[in-house]
Structure formats: structure tokens, C-alpha cells
Amino acid sequence: MKRSFKIKQVEEFAGKNLGAYDSGHDWWHLERVRNNAFQIMEAEGSCDQVIVEIASLLHDIGDSKFMEKGSEDPARLLHRFLTGLELEERIIEEVIFINRNLSFSKGKKPERISVEFMIVQDADRLDAIGAIGIARAFNYGGFVNNPIFDPSGRDHSTISHFYDKLLKLKDLMNTGTGRRLADERHRFLELYLEQFYHEWNFGKRSEDQQ
């Protein structure tokens, strides 16, 4: 089976499995992650491009935020699909490993990770920060009906998500290229928050809100 045909099948499979997700986790998110990964891969050097591309496209399959009770185990689903593409078992195993361990919510990073894992994780995290990351954060907040901001800090708001996750991502990048690309996006997060609080307080200067 030709590589281009296999990638086409992966694209179709990924698209079909995003139906219940919000638009911040849609096909265009996968496309941006793939493009981010290619940019990092080109700068960082040798790695398995097939693993990077397939893992980028399949990294959100089985996302716990959108999983329904009784859904098939994502690892089993992916293994069956990838086996049908006649891929080498080492590729299948690494793609599934990346899928299962990539998320920020997993907490501590696995002790042994591949360069492919590092690239795809950085690529995904880049799409969570900067202008697009802000748009995605508020889109998801609206999807689950979270408040935009709660000055009391009692509720989980989209602004609190900046502090819980988004502002931490720059320092969690795996590669030099990922860190470099994250710097500009991180600064935009900080600029956005500064303007947000300025408007929230009707133009008055205020102390740190968090």
C-alpha cells in the first residue's frame, strides 16, 4: 500500500472520529498540528516522518474530554485501524503510545520518550497558545458553558485555564525549536491578559487578578 494512500486513509479516519468534538479540536486543529510538527521536524533533524505525521493526525482520538460511556478503548480502535494499513508494528506501537501519553492532563511525562513523541507534543502544545490558542480556549469554554472569568476564583473559568495550563506550556516544550516558536505565542497570551484585565476593570490599573 503506497504511503500517500495510507496517509489519505488516516486523514479520513481522523476526520470521522471528531464528530462529537468542539470546533477547537476539529480537522483544522489536526492540520495545524501536522504543519507545526513538520516545521519542528525540519529544524530538529532526523526522525521518522511517518510516525510524526500519523501521530499528529491521530493524537486526539479518544480524547477523554469528549469520550462517551461505553466507547471502545482508543488503543484498541487505533491498533485495529493501523494494522489494516499494513504498517510495521513498531510504527503502530509508537503512534498509540503518543496518543495515550501526549496530553497535558496526563501530568508527568513518561520516562522514556522518542524524538517523534517530543515533536508531536510540542506541535500540539503550540496550537494551544498564541492567538489560535486563545480562540480555542474560549471556544471550548463556550462548548462546556464555562464562565469567561470569575473574579472570585470560585468557578473554573476560561481565564483561569490560562493559569492552570496555557501559561505553563512554554516551559514544558521538549525541543529547542518548540521553545523558540512558543516564545512569541506566550508573549501574546500575556499581552491578551493585560488587555483583558484593563477592560474588565474599566481602564483602571489593578493588581494581579490571579
PDB file of all heavy atoms in Angstrom, residues 123-134:
ATOM      1  N   ALA A 123       4.200  20.238  18.929  1.00  0.00           N
ATOM      2  CA  ALA A 123       3.316  20.746  17.872  1.00  0.00           C
ATOM      3  C   ALA A 123       1.903  20.956  18.388  1.00  0.00           C
ATOM      4  O   ALA A 123       1.252  21.969  18.067  1.00  0.00           O
ATOM      5  CB  ALA A 123       3.318  19.767  16.696  1.00  0.00           C
ATOM      6  N   ASP A 124       1.419  20.032  19.182  1.00  0.00           N
ATOM      7  CA  ASP A 124       0.077  20.145  19.751  1.00  0.00           C
ATOM      8  C   ASP A 124       0.013  21.293  20.758  1.00  0.00           C
ATOM      9  O   ASP A 124      -0.951  22.065  20.784  1.00  0.00           O
ATOM     10  CB  ASP A 124      -0.294  18.824  20.420  1.00  0.00           C
ATOM     11  CG  ASP A 124      -1.718  18.820  20.960  1.00  0.00           C
ATOM     12  OD1 ASP A 124      -2.618  19.343  20.276  1.00  0.00           O
ATOM     13  OD2 ASP A 124      -1.932  18.282  22.067  1.00  0.00           O
ATOM     14  N   ARG A 125       1.040  21.431  21.574  1.00  0.00           N
ATOM     15  CA  ARG A 125       1.045  22.482  22.588  1.00  0.00           C
ATOM     16  C   ARG A 125       1.176  23.868  21.971  1.00  0.00           C
ATOM     17  O   ARG A 125       0.632  24.840  22.506  1.00  0.00           O
ATOM     18  CB  ARG A 125       2.166  22.214  23.598  1.00  0.00           C
ATOM     19  CG  ARG A 125       1.828  21.036  24.486  1.00  0.00           C
ATOM     20  CD  ARG A 125       2.914  20.676  25.473  1.00  0.00           C
ATOM     21  NE  ARG A 125       2.394  19.694  26.429  1.00  0.00           N
ATOM     22  CZ  ARG A 125       3.107  19.146  27.410  1.00  0.00           C
ATOM     23  NH1 ARG A 125       4.373  19.476  27.564  1.00  0.00           N
ATOM     24  NH2 ARG A 125       2.551  18.277  28.233  1.00  0.00           N
ATOM     25  N   LEU A 126       1.864  23.976  20.850  1.00  0.00           N
ATOM     26  CA  LEU A 126       1.936  25.265  20.164  1.00  0.00           C
ATOM     27  C   LEU A 126       0.556  25.726  19.732  1.00  0.00           C
ATOM     28  O   LEU A 126       0.259  26.924  19.753  1.00  0.00           O
ATOM     29  CB  LEU A 126       2.860  25.166  18.944  1.00  0.00           C
ATOM     30  CG  LEU A 126       4.359  25.174  19.217  1.00  0.00           C
ATOM     31  CD1 LEU A 126       5.126  24.846  17.940  1.00  0.00           C
ATOM     32  CD2 LEU A 126       4.808  26.518  19.776  1.00  0.00           C
ATOM     33  N   ASP A 127      -0.302  24.797  19.344  1.00  0.00           N
ATOM     34  CA  ASP A 127      -1.636  25.170  18.897  1.00  0.00           C
ATOM     35  C   ASP A 127      -2.548  25.541  20.058  1.00  0.00           C
ATOM     36  O   ASP A 127      -3.661  26.012  19.841  1.00  0.00           O
ATOM     37  CB  ASP A 127      -2.272  24.028  18.093  1.00  0.00           C
ATOM     38  CG  ASP A 127      -3.340  24.531  17.132  1.00  0.00           C
ATOM     39  OD1 ASP A 127      -3.043  25.460  16.352  1.00  0.00           O
ATOM     40  OD2 ASP A 127      -4.470  23.997  17.147  1.00  0.00           O
ATOM     41  N   ALA A 128      -2.076  25.339  21.283  1.00  0.00           N
ATOM     42  CA  ALA A 128      -2.862  25.690  22.475  1.00  0.00           C
ATOM     43  C   ALA A 128      -2.524  27.071  22.994  1.00  0.00           C
ATOM     44  O   ALA A 128      -3.157  27.540  23.944  1.00  0.00           O
ATOM     45  CB  ALA A 128      -2.633  24.657  23.576  1.00  0.00           C
ATOM     46  N   ILE A 129      -1.516  27.739  22.404  1.00  0.00           N
ATOM     47  CA  ILE A 129      -1.131  29.065  22.870  1.00  0.00           C
ATOM     48  C   ILE A 129      -1.107  30.042  21.698  1.00  0.00           C
ATOM     49  O   ILE A 129      -1.320  29.663  20.555  1.00  0.00           O
ATOM     50  CB  ILE A 129       0.231  29.047  23.603  1.00  0.00           C
ATOM     51  CG1 ILE A 129       1.336  28.450  22.711  1.00  0.00           C
ATOM     52  CG2 ILE A 129       0.116  28.267  24.894  1.00  0.00           C
ATOM     53  CD1 ILE A 129       2.709  28.416  23.375  1.00  0.00           C
ATOM     54  N   GLY A 130      -0.877  31.315  21.987  1.00  0.00           N
ATOM     55  CA  GLY A 130      -0.933  32.321  20.949  1.00  0.00           C
ATOM     56  C   GLY A 130      -2.371  32.681  20.602  1.00  0.00           C
ATOM     57  O   GLY A 130      -3.314  32.327  21.321  1.00  0.00           O
ATOM     58  N   ALA A 131      -2.548  33.373  19.484  1.00  0.00           N
ATOM     59  CA  ALA A 131      -3.880  33.840  19.082  1.00  0.00           C
ATOM     60  C   ALA A 131      -4.846  32.685  18.863  1.00  0.00           C
ATOM     61  O   ALA A 131      -6.004  32.724  19.295  1.00  0.00           O
ATOM     62  CB  ALA A 131      -3.764  34.691  17.820  1.00  0.00           C
ATOM     63  N   ILE A 132      -4.367  31.642  18.183  1.00  0.00           N
ATOM     64  CA  ILE A 132      -5.235  30.492  17.936  1.00  0.00           C
ATOM     65  C   ILE A 132      -5.541  29.769  19.240  1.00  0.00           C
ATOM     66  O   ILE A 132      -6.677  29.337  19.476  1.00  0.00           O
ATOM     67  CB  ILE A 132      -4.590  29.543  16.907  1.00  0.00           C
ATOM     68  CG1 ILE A 132      -4.636  30.187  15.517  1.00  0.00           C
ATOM     69  CG2 ILE A 132      -5.300  28.186  16.897  1.00  0.00           C
ATOM     70  CD1 ILE A 132      -3.943  29.393  14.438  1.00  0.00           C
ATOM     71  N   GLY A 133      -4.568  29.651  20.104  1.00  0.00           N
ATOM     72  CA  GLY A 133      -4.802  29.007  21.386  1.00  0.00           C
ATOM     73  C   GLY A 133      -5.865  29.722  22.205  1.00  0.00           C
ATOM     74  O   GLY A 133      -6.706  29.091  22.854  1.00  0.00           O
ATOM     75  N   ILE A 134      -5.837  31.058  22.180  1.00  0.00           N
ATOM     76  CA  ILE A 134      -6.851  31.838  22.894  1.00  0.00           C
ATOM     77  C   ILE A 134      -8.231  31.573  22.294  1.00  0.00           C
ATOM     78  O   ILE A 134      -9.210  31.358  23.023  1.00  0.00           O
ATOM     79  CB  ILE A 134      -6.506  33.338  22.843  1.00  0.00           C
ATOM     80  CG1 ILE A 134      -5.259  33.621  23.684  1.00  0.00           C
ATOM     81  CG2 ILE A 134      -7.679  34.185  23.345  1.00  0.00           C
ATOM     82  CD1 ILE A 134      -4.703  35.020  23.523  1.00  0.00           C
TER      83      ILE A 134
END
